[in-house]
Amino acid sequence: TVVAVAFYMAHALVAVPTPTPHLAAPAACVLQWRLLGVGAVAGLAGSLVDSLLGATLQYSGLCSARHRVVSAPSPTVTHISGLNVLDNHQVNLLAALITAAATASAAAFAF
Protein backbone atom coordinates (compact mmCIF):
# COMPACT_ATOMS: atom_id res chain seq x y z
CA THR A 1 0.00 0.00 0.00
CA VAL A 2 2.96 2.32 0.50
CA VAL A 3 3.85 1.90 -3.17
CA ALA A 4 0.28 2.71 -4.21
CA VAL A 5 0.21 5.87 -2.08
CA ALA A 6 3.61 6.94 -3.44
CA PHE A 7 2.42 6.33 -7.01
CA TYR A 8 -0.76 8.31 -6.42
CA MET A 9 1.10 11.25 -4.88
CA ALA A 10 3.77 11.30 -7.59
CA HIS A 11 1.23 11.08 -10.38
CA ALA A 12 -1.09 13.67 -8.87
CA LEU A 13 1.71 16.13 -8.18
CA VAL A 14 3.83 15.72 -11.31
CA ALA A 15 1.80 14.31 -14.20
CA VAL A 16 -1.06 16.83 -14.24
CA PRO A 17 -0.14 20.45 -14.96
CA THR A 18 -2.70 22.55 -13.04
CA PRO A 19 -2.41 25.68 -10.94
CA THR A 20 -2.97 23.51 -7.84
CA PRO A 21 -1.30 20.17 -8.61
CA HIS A 22 -1.91 18.78 -5.14
CA LEU A 23 -5.66 18.93 -5.82
CA ALA A 24 -5.43 17.16 -9.17
CA ALA A 25 -6.75 13.61 -9.25
CA PRO A 26 -6.77 12.03 -12.71
CA ALA A 27 -8.99 9.03 -13.30
CA ALA A 28 -5.99 6.69 -13.16
CA CYS A 29 -5.11 7.94 -9.69
CA VAL A 30 -8.65 7.59 -8.41
CA LEU A 31 -8.51 3.89 -9.27
CA GLN A 32 -5.40 3.58 -7.12
CA TRP A 33 -7.41 4.41 -4.01
CA ARG A 34 -9.70 1.48 -4.76
CA LEU A 35 -6.66 -0.76 -5.03
CA LEU A 36 -5.52 0.36 -1.58
CA GLY A 37 -8.71 -1.08 -0.13
CA VAL A 38 -8.31 -4.32 -2.06
CA GLY A 39 -4.70 -4.60 -0.86
CA ALA A 40 -5.63 -3.95 2.76
CA VAL A 41 -8.42 -6.53 2.72
CA ALA A 42 -6.13 -9.01 0.93
CA GLY A 43 -3.46 -8.57 3.60
CA LEU A 44 -5.94 -9.21 6.40
CA ALA A 45 -7.48 -12.18 4.59
CA GLY A 46 -4.05 -13.65 3.86
CA SER A 47 -3.09 -13.40 7.50
CA LEU A 48 -6.31 -15.13 8.52
CA VAL A 49 -5.84 -17.89 5.93
CA ASP A 50 -2.26 -18.45 7.12
CA SER A 51 -3.38 -18.64 10.75
CA LEU A 52 -6.24 -21.01 9.97
CA LEU A 53 -4.05 -23.33 7.91
CA GLY A 54 -1.29 -23.25 10.52
CA ALA A 55 -3.66 -24.00 13.38
CA THR A 56 -5.33 -26.92 11.63
CA LEU A 57 -2.77 -28.53 9.30
CA GLN A 58 0.57 -27.74 10.98
CA TYR A 59 1.64 -29.84 13.96
CA SER A 60 2.43 -28.01 17.15
CA GLY A 61 3.61 -29.63 20.37
CA LEU A 62 5.35 -28.86 23.65
CA CYS A 63 8.68 -30.61 24.19
CA SER A 64 9.12 -31.48 27.86
CA ALA A 65 12.89 -31.97 27.45
CA ARG A 66 13.61 -28.60 25.83
CA HIS A 67 10.62 -26.67 27.23
CA ARG A 68 9.82 -25.29 23.79
CA VAL A 69 7.03 -25.43 21.25
CA VAL A 70 8.13 -27.67 18.38
CA SER A 71 6.71 -28.57 14.99
CA ALA A 72 7.39 -32.30 14.92
CA PRO A 73 6.09 -35.14 17.09
CA SER A 74 8.48 -37.16 19.25
CA PRO A 75 8.30 -39.21 22.47
CA THR A 76 8.98 -36.12 24.64
CA VAL A 77 6.42 -33.93 22.84
CA THR A 78 2.87 -33.32 24.02
CA HIS A 79 0.50 -32.48 21.17
CA ILE A 80 -0.97 -28.94 21.35
CA SER A 81 -2.81 -28.46 18.06
CA GLY A 82 -2.88 -29.18 14.37
CA LEU A 83 -2.45 -32.22 12.20
CA ASN A 84 0.97 -33.26 10.96
CA VAL A 85 0.11 -32.55 7.32
CA LEU A 86 2.09 -29.42 6.40
CA ASP A 87 5.22 -27.73 7.73
CA ASN A 88 5.53 -23.95 8.18
CA HIS A 89 6.96 -23.34 4.70
CA GLN A 90 4.15 -25.29 3.06
CA VAL A 91 1.54 -23.41 5.11
CA ASN A 92 3.04 -20.08 4.02
CA LEU A 93 3.15 -21.13 0.36
CA LEU A 94 -0.42 -22.42 0.37
CA ALA A 95 -1.71 -19.32 2.15
CA ALA A 96 0.11 -17.07 -0.34
CA LEU A 97 -1.30 -18.98 -3.32
CA ILE A 98 -4.86 -18.90 -1.95
CA THR A 99 -4.60 -15.21 -1.11
CA ALA A 100 -3.10 -14.30 -4.48
CA ALA A 101 -5.78 -16.21 -6.39
CA ALA A 102 -8.60 -14.73 -4.31
CA THR A 103 -7.18 -11.20 -4.60
CA ALA A 104 -6.73 -11.49 -8.36
CA SER A 105 -10.31 -12.73 -8.71
CA ALA A 106 -11.66 -9.95 -6.49
CA ALA A 107 -9.67 -7.27 -8.34
CA ALA A 108 -10.78 -8.60 -11.75
CA PHE A 109 -14.38 -8.54 -10.56
CA ALA A 110 -14.13 -5.08 -8.95
CA PHE A 111 -12.33 -3.38 -11.83
Side-chain angles (χ1 to χ4, degrees):
T1 58
V2 173
V3 172
V5 170
F7 173 81
Y8 175 82
M9 296 304 291
H11 190 64
L13 293 172
V14 177
V16 180
T18 64
T20 55
H22 63 283
L23 297 177
C29 290
V30 173
L31 289 177
Q32 293 298 313
W33 287 110
R34 291 171 56 191
L35 286 176
L36 285 174
V38 171
V41 170
L44 177 63
S47 177
L48 293 174
V49 168
D50 185 72
S51 294
L52 181 64
L53 289 174
T56 57
L57 299 177
Q58 180 180 345
Y59 183 87
S60 184
L62 180 64
C63 180
S64 59
R66 294 188 289 170
H67 303 290
R68 292 186 180 176
V69 176
V70 295
S71 60
S74 75
T76 61
V77 173
T78 304
H79 180 258
I80 296 174
S81 67
L83 302 173
N84 194 15
V85 177
L86 301 173
D87 67 11
N88 189 50
H89 300 296
Q90 294 166 331
V91 166
N92 292 340
L93 176 65
L94 189 57
L97 291 175
I98 290 170
T99 303
T103 302
S105 298
F109 179 75
F111 299 101

